[in-house]
Amino acid sequence: MAADTDALQKRFDQLIDADDRIEPRDWMPDEYRKTLVRQIAQHAHSEVIGMQPEGNWLTRAPSLRRKAILTAKVQDEAGHGLYLYGAAETLGTPREELLDRLHNGRQKYSSIFNYPTLTWADMGAIGWLVDGAAIMNQVPLCRCSYGPYARAMVRICKEESFHQRQGFQIMLTLANGTPGQQAMAQDALDRWWWPSIMMFGPPDSESVHGDQNTRWGIKRFGNDELRQKFIDATVPQADLLGLTIPDPDLRLDEETGNYLHGPIDWGHFWDVVKGNGPCNRERLGTRVDAHEGGTWVRQAATAYAEKQAKRATEAAA
Ligand code: FAQ
């Protein structure tokens, strides 16, 4: 038995070393399976809870065109949740169980979705910064060693690129608008900047899963490296918008070409992760209510599917 496991482990290691894909029917170590379920589920929950901050503005979009675009974006996020729950299910954990873990607080979702959306400019800032950070983090996941997750990410990243552009376009319109609109854009940047750069997770020195998951080819870069890439890409975009990044210590390091940032308030980040951010209770409460309110839909869909299956069996007999 132990010899069998050794052989399976060897085969798994060979696939990882060759940068090949692990597929659902392949043997994998329990810890690899566990960390994937954790990360993919957390990612799926983030997409679904992430519909709420923008959903808040669907009825108040400034034009029919903006409303149609925002509706499509929010629907895309629901689709991302579906692909990701599907990918997690291939590891043997049913979606109902993952949702239970979200609803009873045993699984997390991204810290970024615990902040309020106070003005229309927040729709621009979310698309530009939050989707921008998501892309930076997620493009390398298209090369993740676990096949179903990597393939889900390819489609998700294409859609996130569109989301980022629509957010930037909202910011550009406001930045070229009246002084009041410019102030609204600056205020949104002031509120979303630090939470966006915290999205990448704790510094590598405090990352629990980082090293092992990089060795397994789940992550391709550390949290700090991705955060730096995001900052380097975003600072020139803020300049183009004529907006100021709310970090007095931000400066270009001429030697490396990187923008050095000021200290990040990790105490605040952990507080939000632990459930004490401005909107944690509201977000989870809304999610649980929506799930409970949808019970009858799930029951009706199941009853209909069972009836159809029975009819098909009877017709075949
Ligand atoms: N929030 O050891 P590490 C989106 C936790 S999708 C909350 O470094 P890891 C699209 C972490 O879970 C956004 N918790 O963890 C959209 C761990 O705790 P645990 C979501 C966080 O996994 C846009 C502990 O800290 N994206 O935005 C956060 O190696 C607009 C130690 O951390 C993904 O999920 C955080 N920010 O690295 C939707 C991408 N960071 O689990 C709607 C996939 C860390 O042991 C509107 N995920 N923690 O209890 C990843 O790449 C990774 O999981 C990281 C964290 C980078 C998030």
Side-chain angles (χ1 to χ4, degrees), residues 38-39 42-43 46-47 50 54 73 77 108-111 113 130-131 134 137-138 141 149 160 198-202 207-210 219 223 269-270 273:
R38 178 193 64 83
Q39 177 168 325
Q42 174 170 329
H43 193 166
S46 304
E47 300 281 358
E54 287 166 292
K73 179 187 191 293
E77 310 299 359
K108 298 190 172 81
Y109 58 89
S110 178
S111 51
F113 301 117
V130 177
D131 285 279
N137 170 271
Q138 290 170 197
L141 292 174
Y149 190 27
E160 301 290 25
M198 289 174 187
M199 261 178 90
F200 293 92
S207 170
V208 182
H209 309 283
K219 276 173 132 166
N223 300 352
F269 169 78
W270 289 118
V273 171

mmCIF file of all heavy atoms in Angstrom, residues 38-39 42-43 46-47 50 54 73 77 108-111 113 130-131 134 137-138 141 149 160 198-202 207-210 219 223 269-270 273, ligand 1:
data_model
loop_
_atom_site.group_PDB
_atom_site.id
_atom_site.type_symbol
_atom_site.label_atom_id
_atom_site.label_comp_id
_atom_site.label_asym_id
_atom_site.label_seq_id
_atom_site.Cartn_x
_atom_site.Cartn_y
_atom_site.Cartn_z
ATOM 1 N N ARG A 38 -9.611 25.255 -0.845
ATOM 2 C CA ARG A 38 -9.612 26.497 -0.061
ATOM 3 C C ARG A 38 -9.502 27.711 -0.983
ATOM 4 O O ARG A 38 -10.333 28.618 -0.935
ATOM 5 C CB ARG A 38 -8.421 26.465 0.914
ATOM 6 C CG ARG A 38 -8.241 27.710 1.770
ATOM 7 C CD ARG A 38 -6.869 27.689 2.453
ATOM 8 N NE ARG A 38 -5.776 27.742 1.487
ATOM 9 C CZ ARG A 38 -5.314 28.872 0.930
ATOM 10 N NH1 ARG A 38 -5.827 30.031 1.264
ATOM 11 N NH2 ARG A 38 -4.335 28.836 0.027
ATOM 12 N N GLN A 39 -8.510 27.701 -1.872
ATOM 13 C CA GLN A 39 -8.280 28.881 -2.710
ATOM 14 C C GLN A 39 -9.385 29.062 -3.751
ATOM 15 O O GLN A 39 -9.878 30.169 -3.947
ATOM 16 C CB GLN A 39 -6.910 28.793 -3.402
ATOM 17 C CG GLN A 39 -6.702 29.989 -4.338
ATOM 18 C CD GLN A 39 -5.278 30.132 -4.828
ATOM 19 O OE1 GLN A 39 -4.330 29.848 -4.110
ATOM 20 N NE2 GLN A 39 -5.131 30.617 -6.057
ATOM 21 N N GLN A 42 -12.622 30.154 -2.032
ATOM 22 C CA GLN A 42 -12.507 31.558 -1.594
ATOM 23 C C GLN A 42 -12.642 32.490 -2.802
ATOM 24 O O GLN A 42 -13.292 33.536 -2.732
ATOM 25 C CB GLN A 42 -11.166 31.763 -0.890
ATOM 26 C CG GLN A 42 -10.908 33.219 -0.537
ATOM 27 C CD GLN A 42 -9.699 33.400 0.382
ATOM 28 O OE1 GLN A 42 -9.387 32.552 1.197
ATOM 29 N NE2 GLN A 42 -9.029 34.516 0.257
ATOM 30 N N HIS A 43 -12.057 32.071 -3.899
ATOM 31 C CA HIS A 43 -12.131 32.858 -5.121
ATOM 32 C C HIS A 43 -13.577 32.916 -5.627
ATOM 33 O O HIS A 43 -14.099 33.993 -5.956
ATOM 34 C CB HIS A 43 -11.195 32.221 -6.158
ATOM 35 C CG HIS A 43 -10.916 33.067 -7.344
ATOM 36 N ND1 HIS A 43 -9.905 32.786 -8.222
ATOM 37 C CD2 HIS A 43 -11.524 34.185 -7.816
ATOM 38 C CE1 HIS A 43 -9.900 33.706 -9.177
ATOM 39 N NE2 HIS A 43 -10.886 34.551 -8.956
ATOM 40 N N SER A 46 -15.656 35.119 -3.552
ATOM 41 C CA SER A 46 -15.330 36.532 -3.795
ATOM 42 C C SER A 46 -16.085 37.050 -5.016
ATOM 43 O O SER A 46 -16.589 38.181 -5.012
ATOM 44 C CB SER A 46 -13.829 36.710 -4.044
ATOM 45 O OG SER A 46 -13.085 36.203 -2.979
ATOM 46 N N GLU A 47 -16.162 36.223 -6.050
ATOM 47 C CA GLU A 47 -16.869 36.652 -7.260
ATOM 48 C C GLU A 47 -18.348 36.893 -6.940
ATOM 49 O O GLU A 47 -18.946 37.872 -7.398
ATOM 50 C CB GLU A 47 -16.755 35.587 -8.360
ATOM 51 C CG GLU A 47 -15.330 35.270 -8.802
ATOM 52 C CD GLU A 47 -14.735 36.307 -9.757
ATOM 53 O OE1 GLU A 47 -15.431 37.264 -10.120
ATOM 54 O OE2 GLU A 47 -13.547 36.143 -10.133
ATOM 55 N N GLY A 50 -18.772 39.679 -4.480
ATOM 56 C CA GLY A 50 -18.310 40.869 -5.206
ATOM 57 C C GLY A 50 -19.379 41.488 -6.097
ATOM 58 O O GLY A 50 -19.185 42.597 -6.611
ATOM 59 N N GLU A 54 -21.233 46.570 -6.515
ATOM 60 C CA GLU A 54 -21.637 47.196 -7.774
ATOM 61 C C GLU A 54 -23.148 47.061 -8.001
ATOM 62 O O GLU A 54 -23.788 47.953 -8.560
ATOM 63 C CB GLU A 54 -20.854 46.590 -8.932
ATOM 64 C CG GLU A 54 -19.413 47.057 -8.925
ATOM 65 C CD GLU A 54 -18.535 46.232 -9.834
ATOM 66 O OE1 GLU A 54 -18.311 45.038 -9.538
ATOM 67 O OE2 GLU A 54 -18.073 46.769 -10.839
ATOM 68 N N LYS A 73 -21.670 43.438 -16.417
ATOM 69 C CA LYS A 73 -20.470 43.156 -15.608
ATOM 70 C C LYS A 73 -20.837 42.330 -14.373
ATOM 71 O O LYS A 73 -20.189 41.323 -14.058
ATOM 72 C CB LYS A 73 -19.789 44.463 -15.186
ATOM 73 C CG LYS A 73 -18.556 44.212 -14.329
ATOM 74 C CD LYS A 73 -17.980 45.495 -13.761
ATOM 75 C CE LYS A 73 -16.609 45.292 -13.132
ATOM 76 N NZ LYS A 73 -16.600 44.478 -11.927
ATOM 77 N N GLU A 77 -19.715 38.416 -13.180
ATOM 78 C CA GLU A 77 -19.130 37.971 -11.897
ATOM 79 C C GLU A 77 -19.867 36.718 -11.407
ATOM 80 O O GLU A 77 -19.249 35.789 -10.879
ATOM 81 C CB GLU A 77 -19.190 39.063 -10.817
ATOM 82 C CG GLU A 77 -18.659 40.442 -11.215
ATOM 83 C CD GLU A 77 -17.181 40.481 -11.626
ATOM 84 O OE1 GLU A 77 -16.512 39.440 -11.596
ATOM 85 O OE2 GLU A 77 -16.710 41.572 -12.018
ATOM 86 N N LYS A 108 -13.464 32.091 3.645
ATOM 87 C CA LYS A 108 -13.368 33.542 3.466
ATOM 88 C C LYS A 108 -13.791 33.950 2.067
ATOM 89 O O LYS A 108 -13.953 33.121 1.184
ATOM 90 C CB LYS A 108 -11.916 33.965 3.633
ATOM 91 C CG LYS A 108 -11.318 33.702 4.988
ATOM 92 C CD LYS A 108 -9.954 34.412 5.064
ATOM 93 C CE LYS A 108 -9.378 34.348 6.449
ATOM 94 N NZ LYS A 108 -8.715 33.068 6.732
ATOM 95 N N TYR A 109 -13.890 35.252 1.880
ATOM 96 C CA TYR A 109 -13.948 35.848 0.542
ATOM 97 C C TYR A 109 -13.036 37.066 0.619
ATOM 98 O O TYR A 109 -12.631 37.476 1.715
ATOM 99 C CB TYR A 109 -15.393 36.218 0.131
ATOM 100 C CG TYR A 109 -16.073 37.183 1.064
ATOM 101 C CD1 TYR A 109 -15.961 38.558 0.888
ATOM 102 C CD2 TYR A 109 -16.800 36.717 2.156
ATOM 103 C CE1 TYR A 109 -16.558 39.446 1.757
ATOM 104 C CE2 TYR A 109 -17.402 37.603 3.037
ATOM 105 C CZ TYR A 109 -17.283 38.970 2.828
ATOM 106 O OH TYR A 109 -17.857 39.838 3.702
ATOM 107 N N SER A 110 -12.728 37.658 -0.550
ATOM 108 C CA SER A 110 -11.710 38.708 -0.558
ATOM 109 C C SER A 110 -12.098 39.915 0.307
ATOM 110 O O SER A 110 -13.238 40.397 0.258
ATOM 111 C CB SER A 110 -11.455 39.174 -1.995
ATOM 112 O OG SER A 110 -10.507 40.216 -1.979
ATOM 113 N N SER A 111 -11.096 40.399 1.040
ATOM 114 C CA SER A 111 -11.259 41.569 1.911
ATOM 115 C C SER A 111 -11.846 42.776 1.172
ATOM 116 O O SER A 111 -12.550 43.592 1.759
ATOM 117 C CB SER A 111 -9.879 41.947 2.472
ATOM 118 O OG SER A 111 -8.926 42.050 1.406
ATOM 119 N N PHE A 113 -14.218 43.298 -0.776
ATOM 120 C CA PHE A 113 -15.667 43.490 -0.948
ATOM 121 C C PHE A 113 -16.379 43.896 0.331
ATOM 122 O O PHE A 113 -17.606 43.845 0.414
ATOM 123 C CB PHE A 113 -16.270 42.246 -1.607
ATOM 124 C CG PHE A 113 -15.641 41.980 -2.938
ATOM 125 C CD1 PHE A 113 -14.912 40.825 -3.181
ATOM 126 C CD2 PHE A 113 -15.706 42.930 -3.946
ATOM 127 C CE1 PHE A 113 -14.277 40.612 -4.401
ATOM 128 C CE2 PHE A 113 -15.073 42.736 -5.169
ATOM 129 C CZ PHE A 113 -14.359 41.569 -5.390
ATOM 130 N N VAL A 130 -9.903 47.324 -8.711
ATOM 131 C CA VAL A 130 -10.174 45.976 -8.177
ATOM 132 C C VAL A 130 -10.068 44.935 -9.296
ATOM 133 O O VAL A 130 -9.405 43.909 -9.144
ATOM 134 C CB VAL A 130 -11.554 45.935 -7.471
ATOM 135 C CG1 VAL A 130 -11.863 44.529 -6.977
ATOM 136 C CG2 VAL A 130 -11.589 46.942 -6.325
ATOM 137 N N ASP A 131 -10.705 45.226 -10.436
ATOM 138 C CA ASP A 131 -10.550 44.284 -11.551
ATOM 139 C C ASP A 131 -9.109 44.296 -12.060
ATOM 140 O O ASP A 131 -8.582 43.261 -12.471
ATOM 141 C CB ASP A 131 -11.539 44.597 -12.676
ATOM 142 C CG ASP A 131 -12.944 44.162 -12.306
ATOM 143 O OD1 ASP A 131 -13.255 42.976 -12.442
ATOM 144 O OD2 ASP A 131 -13.736 45.015 -11.853
ATOM 145 N N ALA A 134 -7.274 42.168 -9.766
ATOM 146 C CA ALA A 134 -7.703 40.774 -9.991
ATOM 147 C C ALA A 134 -6.984 40.203 -11.219
ATOM 148 O O ALA A 134 -6.486 39.075 -11.180
ATOM 149 C CB ALA A 134 -9.220 40.698 -10.158
ATOM 150 N N ASN A 137 -3.378 39.355 -10.527
ATOM 151 C CA ASN A 137 -3.260 38.154 -9.708
ATOM 152 C C ASN A 137 -3.669 36.887 -10.482
ATOM 153 O O ASN A 137 -3.149 35.798 -10.251
ATOM 154 C CB ASN A 137 -4.164 38.367 -8.474
ATOM 155 C CG ASN A 137 -4.338 37.121 -7.653
ATOM 156 O OD1 ASN A 137 -5.260 36.354 -7.917
ATOM 157 N ND2 ASN A 137 -3.474 36.905 -6.693
ATOM 158 N N GLN A 138 -4.627 37.071 -11.407
ATOM 159 C CA GLN A 138 -5.269 35.895 -11.994
ATOM 160 C C GLN A 138 -4.673 35.420 -13.324
ATOM 161 O O GLN A 138 -4.819 34.257 -13.662
ATOM 162 C CB GLN A 138 -6.780 36.147 -12.130
ATOM 163 C CG GLN A 138 -7.434 36.185 -10.760
ATOM 164 C CD GLN A 138 -8.868 36.657 -10.738
ATOM 165 O OE1 GLN A 138 -9.385 37.011 -9.687
ATOM 166 N NE2 GLN A 138 -9.519 36.679 -11.875
ATOM 167 N N LEU A 141 -2.645 32.582 -12.859
ATOM 168 C CA LEU A 141 -3.418 31.379 -12.482
ATOM 169 C C LEU A 141 -3.896 30.598 -13.713
ATOM 170 O O LEU A 141 -4.294 29.440 -13.596
ATOM 171 C CB LEU A 141 -4.615 31.761 -11.596
ATOM 172 C CG LEU A 141 -4.267 32.282 -10.193
ATOM 173 C CD1 LEU A 141 -5.531 32.762 -9.480
ATOM 174 C CD2 LEU A 141 -3.582 31.215 -9.364
ATOM 175 N N TYR A 149 -8.985 24.531 -12.829
ATOM 176 C CA TYR A 149 -8.869 25.909 -12.326
ATOM 177 C C TYR A 149 -8.201 26.780 -13.404
ATOM 178 O O TYR A 149 -8.673 27.863 -13.727
ATOM 179 C CB TYR A 149 -8.038 25.903 -11.039
ATOM 180 C CG TYR A 149 -8.011 27.211 -10.250
ATOM 181 C CD1 TYR A 149 -9.050 28.139 -10.297
ATOM 182 C CD2 TYR A 149 -6.935 27.503 -9.403
ATOM 183 C CE1 TYR A 149 -9.014 29.311 -9.544
ATOM 184 C CE2 TYR A 149 -6.891 28.671 -8.645
ATOM 185 C CZ TYR A 149 -7.926 29.564 -8.724
ATOM 186 O OH TYR A 149 -7.889 30.729 -7.977
ATOM 187 N N GLU A 160 -12.433 39.870 -17.236
ATOM 188 C CA GLU A 160 -11.929 40.884 -16.288
ATOM 189 C C GLU A 160 -11.217 42.024 -17.023
ATOM 190 O O GLU A 160 -11.238 43.168 -16.569
ATOM 191 C CB GLU A 160 -10.953 40.279 -15.261
ATOM 192 C CG GLU A 160 -11.490 39.155 -14.386
ATOM 193 C CD GLU A 160 -12.523 39.569 -13.357
ATOM 194 O OE1 GLU A 160 -13.200 40.588 -13.566
ATOM 195 O OE2 GLU A 160 -12.673 38.842 -12.358
ATOM 196 N N MET A 198 -4.045 45.814 -0.782
ATOM 197 C CA MET A 198 -4.096 44.753 0.242
ATOM 198 C C MET A 198 -4.686 43.453 -0.315
ATOM 199 O O MET A 198 -4.482 42.381 0.238
ATOM 200 C CB MET A 198 -4.960 45.206 1.431
ATOM 201 C CG MET A 198 -4.325 46.270 2.275
ATOM 202 S SD MET A 198 -5.488 46.836 3.525
ATOM 203 C CE MET A 198 -4.576 48.202 4.226
ATOM 204 N N MET A 199 -5.443 43.578 -1.416
ATOM 205 C CA MET A 199 -6.093 42.394 -2.008
ATOM 206 C C MET A 199 -5.125 41.259 -2.305
ATOM 207 O O MET A 199 -5.490 40.097 -2.335
ATOM 208 C CB MET A 199 -6.689 42.788 -3.376
ATOM 209 C CG MET A 199 -8.128 43.080 -3.401
ATOM 210 S SD MET A 199 -8.554 43.563 -5.095
ATOM 211 C CE MET A 199 -8.965 41.995 -5.833
ATOM 212 N N PHE A 200 -3.856 41.641 -2.591
ATOM 213 C CA PHE A 200 -2.865 40.625 -2.980
ATOM 214 C C PHE A 200 -2.457 39.723 -1.820
ATOM 215 O O PHE A 200 -1.700 38.780 -2.010
ATOM 216 C CB PHE A 200 -1.631 41.312 -3.587
ATOM 217 C CG PHE A 200 -1.934 41.984 -4.903
ATOM 218 C CD1 PHE A 200 -2.313 43.320 -4.964
ATOM 219 C CD2 PHE A 200 -1.886 41.248 -6.077
ATOM 220 C CE1 PHE A 200 -2.622 43.937 -6.172
ATOM 221 C CE2 PHE A 200 -2.185 41.855 -7.293
ATOM 222 C CZ PHE A 200 -2.563 43.199 -7.346
ATOM 223 N N GLY A 201 -2.946 40.072 -0.627
ATOM 224 C CA GLY A 201 -2.642 39.225 0.523
ATOM 225 C C GLY A 201 -1.471 39.758 1.314
ATOM 226 O O GLY A 201 -0.814 40.725 0.914
ATOM 227 N N PRO A 202 -1.184 39.104 2.464
ATOM 228 C CA PRO A 202 -0.134 39.603 3.369
ATOM 229 C C PRO A 202 1.232 39.578 2.699
ATOM 230 O O PRO A 202 1.419 38.921 1.677
ATOM 231 C CB PRO A 202 -0.179 38.593 4.526
ATOM 232 C CG PRO A 202 -0.785 37.368 3.960
ATOM 233 C CD PRO A 202 -1.738 37.819 2.893
ATOM 234 N N SER A 207 2.982 35.167 4.557
ATOM 235 C CA SER A 207 2.077 34.324 3.775
ATOM 236 C C SER A 207 2.203 32.875 4.239
ATOM 237 O O SER A 207 3.295 32.329 4.315
ATOM 238 C CB SER A 207 2.434 34.450 2.292
ATOM 239 O OG SER A 207 1.754 33.490 1.543
ATOM 240 N N VAL A 208 1.061 32.249 4.584
ATOM 241 C CA VAL A 208 1.071 30.891 5.128
ATOM 242 C C VAL A 208 1.255 29.872 4.010
ATOM 243 O O VAL A 208 1.997 28.912 4.135
ATOM 244 C CB VAL A 208 -0.276 30.603 5.847
ATOM 245 C CG1 VAL A 208 -0.286 29.210 6.476
ATOM 246 C CG2 VAL A 208 -0.582 31.675 6.871
ATOM 247 N N HIS A 209 0.535 30.101 2.899
ATOM 248 C CA HIS A 209 0.482 29.082 1.840
ATOM 249 C C HIS A 209 1.434 29.358 0.682
ATOM 250 O O HIS A 209 1.625 28.494 -0.167
ATOM 251 C CB HIS A 209 -0.944 29.018 1.275
ATOM 252 C CG HIS A 209 -1.985 28.877 2.339
ATOM 253 N ND1 HIS A 209 -2.230 27.690 2.980
ATOM 254 C CD2 HIS A 209 -2.850 29.778 2.891
ATOM 255 C CE1 HIS A 209 -3.187 27.863 3.881
ATOM 256 N NE2 HIS A 209 -3.585 29.124 3.852
ATOM 257 N N GLY A 210 1.970 30.602 0.648
ATOM 258 C CA GLY A 210 2.700 31.060 -0.531
ATOM 259 C C GLY A 210 3.767 30.111 -1.047
ATOM 260 O O GLY A 210 3.738 29.679 -2.194
ATOM 261 N N LYS A 219 0.368 28.872 -7.353
ATOM 262 C CA LYS A 219 0.734 30.279 -7.515
ATOM 263 C C LYS A 219 2.017 30.332 -8.347
ATOM 264 O O LYS A 219 2.846 29.423 -8.248
ATOM 265 C CB LYS A 219 1.062 30.885 -6.148
ATOM 266 C CG LYS A 219 -0.128 31.374 -5.355
ATOM 267 C CD LYS A 219 0.334 31.775 -3.963
ATOM 268 C CE LYS A 219 -0.194 33.117 -3.588
ATOM 269 N NZ LYS A 219 -0.046 33.406 -2.145
ATOM 270 N N ASN A 223 2.899 37.214 -3.235
ATOM 271 C CA ASN A 223 1.949 38.322 -3.051
ATOM 272 C C ASN A 223 2.629 39.677 -3.291
ATOM 273 O O ASN A 223 2.067 40.567 -3.924
ATOM 274 C CB ASN A 223 1.367 38.303 -1.632
ATOM 275 C CG ASN A 223 0.604 37.007 -1.322
ATOM 276 O OD1 ASN A 223 0.383 36.189 -2.212
ATOM 277 N ND2 ASN A 223 0.213 36.823 -0.072
ATOM 278 N N PHE A 269 -6.001 45.387 7.597
ATOM 279 C CA PHE A 269 -6.302 44.264 6.696
ATOM 280 C C PHE A 269 -6.804 43.050 7.484
ATOM 281 O O PHE A 269 -7.852 42.481 7.183
ATOM 282 C CB PHE A 269 -5.036 43.909 5.903
ATOM 283 C CG PHE A 269 -5.122 42.613 5.138
ATOM 284 C CD1 PHE A 269 -5.818 42.540 3.943
ATOM 285 C CD2 PHE A 269 -4.510 41.457 5.619
ATOM 286 C CE1 PHE A 269 -5.893 41.344 3.227
ATOM 287 C CE2 PHE A 269 -4.581 40.255 4.912
ATOM 288 C CZ PHE A 269 -5.274 40.198 3.717
ATOM 289 N N TRP A 270 -6.072 42.675 8.539
ATOM 290 C CA TRP A 270 -6.459 41.474 9.299
ATOM 291 C C TRP A 270 -7.791 41.673 9.996
ATOM 292 O O TRP A 270 -8.572 40.729 10.152
ATOM 293 C CB TRP A 270 -5.350 41.065 10.281
ATOM 294 C CG TRP A 270 -4.155 40.504 9.556
ATOM 295 C CD1 TRP A 270 -2.893 41.010 9.544
ATOM 296 C CD2 TRP A 270 -4.126 39.347 8.699
ATOM 297 N NE1 TRP A 270 -2.074 40.243 8.744
ATOM 298 C CE2 TRP A 270 -2.798 39.210 8.210
ATOM 299 C CE3 TRP A 270 -5.081 38.410 8.288
ATOM 300 C CZ2 TRP A 270 -2.416 38.191 7.344
ATOM 301 C CZ3 TRP A 270 -4.696 37.390 7.416
ATOM 302 C CH2 TRP A 270 -3.385 37.283 6.961
ATOM 303 N N VAL A 273 -10.296 40.977 7.370
ATOM 304 C CA VAL A 273 -10.341 39.530 7.079
ATOM 305 C C VAL A 273 -11.077 38.792 8.205
ATOM 306 O O VAL A 273 -11.831 37.847 7.959
ATOM 307 C CB VAL A 273 -8.905 38.971 6.883
ATOM 308 C CG1 VAL A 273 -8.907 37.459 6.809
ATOM 309 C CG2 VAL A 273 -8.269 39.568 5.629
HETATM 310 N N1 FAQ B 1 -8.873 38.690 1.587
HETATM 311 O O1 FAQ B 1 -0.991 32.443 2.835
HETATM 312 P P1 FAQ B 1 -1.661 33.580 2.147
HETATM 313 C C1 FAQ B 1 -12.141 39.658 -7.991
HETATM 314 C C2 FAQ B 1 -5.928 35.048 3.676
HETATM 315 S S1 FAQ B 1 -11.798 38.123 -7.349
HETATM 316 C C3 FAQ B 1 -9.197 37.741 2.491
HETATM 317 O O2 FAQ B 1 -0.790 34.540 1.407
HETATM 318 P P2 FAQ B 1 -2.801 32.574 -0.317
HETATM 319 C C4 FAQ B 1 -13.002 39.735 -9.212
HETATM 320 C C5 FAQ B 1 -5.663 33.705 3.021
HETATM 321 O O3 FAQ B 1 -6.867 33.112 2.561
HETATM 322 C C6 FAQ B 1 -10.838 38.476 -5.887
HETATM 323 N N2 FAQ B 1 -8.321 36.819 2.959
HETATM 324 O O4 FAQ B 1 -2.840 33.001 1.206
HETATM 325 C C7 FAQ B 1 -14.037 40.758 -9.027
HETATM 326 C C8 FAQ B 1 -5.034 32.938 4.162
HETATM 327 O O5 FAQ B 1 -6.031 32.506 5.079
HETATM 328 P P3 FAQ B 1 -6.581 30.968 5.115
HETATM 329 C C9 FAQ B 1 -10.397 37.223 -5.264
HETATM 330 C C10 FAQ B 1 -7.069 36.867 2.450
HETATM 331 O O6 FAQ B 1 -4.034 31.787 -0.593
HETATM 332 C C11 FAQ B 1 -13.793 42.091 -9.261
HETATM 333 C C12 FAQ B 1 -4.240 34.016 4.886
HETATM 334 O O7 FAQ B 1 -4.810 35.264 4.506
HETATM 335 N N3 FAQ B 1 -9.279 36.687 -5.990
HETATM 336 O O8 FAQ B 1 -11.702 40.575 -7.434
HETATM 337 C C13 FAQ B 1 -6.684 37.811 1.486
HETATM 338 O O9 FAQ B 1 -1.478 31.967 -0.676
HETATM 339 C C14 FAQ B 1 -14.788 43.048 -9.110
HETATM 340 C C15 FAQ B 1 -2.757 33.990 4.555
HETATM 341 O O10 FAQ B 1 -2.529 34.411 3.206
HETATM 342 C C16 FAQ B 1 -8.795 35.470 -5.690
HETATM 343 O O11 FAQ B 1 -9.303 34.788 -4.815
HETATM 344 C C17 FAQ B 1 -7.639 38.755 1.059
HETATM 345 N N4 FAQ B 1 -7.358 39.719 0.169
HETATM 346 O O12 FAQ B 1 -2.857 33.985 -1.084
HETATM 347 C C18 FAQ B 1 -15.312 40.362 -8.617
HETATM 348 C C19 FAQ B 1 -7.640 34.989 -6.544
HETATM 349 N N5 FAQ B 1 -5.387 37.595 1.187
HETATM 350 O O13 FAQ B 1 -7.193 30.682 3.743
HETATM 351 C C20 FAQ B 1 -16.326 41.318 -8.456
HETATM 352 C C21 FAQ B 1 -7.157 33.635 -6.136
HETATM 353 C C22 FAQ B 1 -4.980 36.560 1.940
HETATM 354 O O14 FAQ B 1 -5.412 30.081 5.413
HETATM 355 C C23 FAQ B 1 -16.068 42.667 -8.707
HETATM 356 N N6 FAQ B 1 -6.546 33.637 -4.825
HETATM 357 N N7 FAQ B 1 -5.982 36.127 2.705
HETATM 358 O O15 FAQ B 1 -7.612 30.985 6.216
HETATM 359 C C24 FAQ B 1 -5.233 33.891 -4.577
HETATM 360 O O16 FAQ B 1 -4.465 34.181 -5.486
HETATM 361 C C25 FAQ B 1 -4.734 33.750 -3.164
HETATM 362 O O17 FAQ B 1 -5.640 32.956 -2.451
HETATM 363 C C26 FAQ B 1 -4.513 35.106 -2.428
HETATM 364 C C27 FAQ B 1 -3.999 34.802 -1.019
HETATM 365 C C28 FAQ B 1 -3.475 35.935 -3.163
HETATM 366 C C29 FAQ B 1 -5.799 35.898 -2.311
#
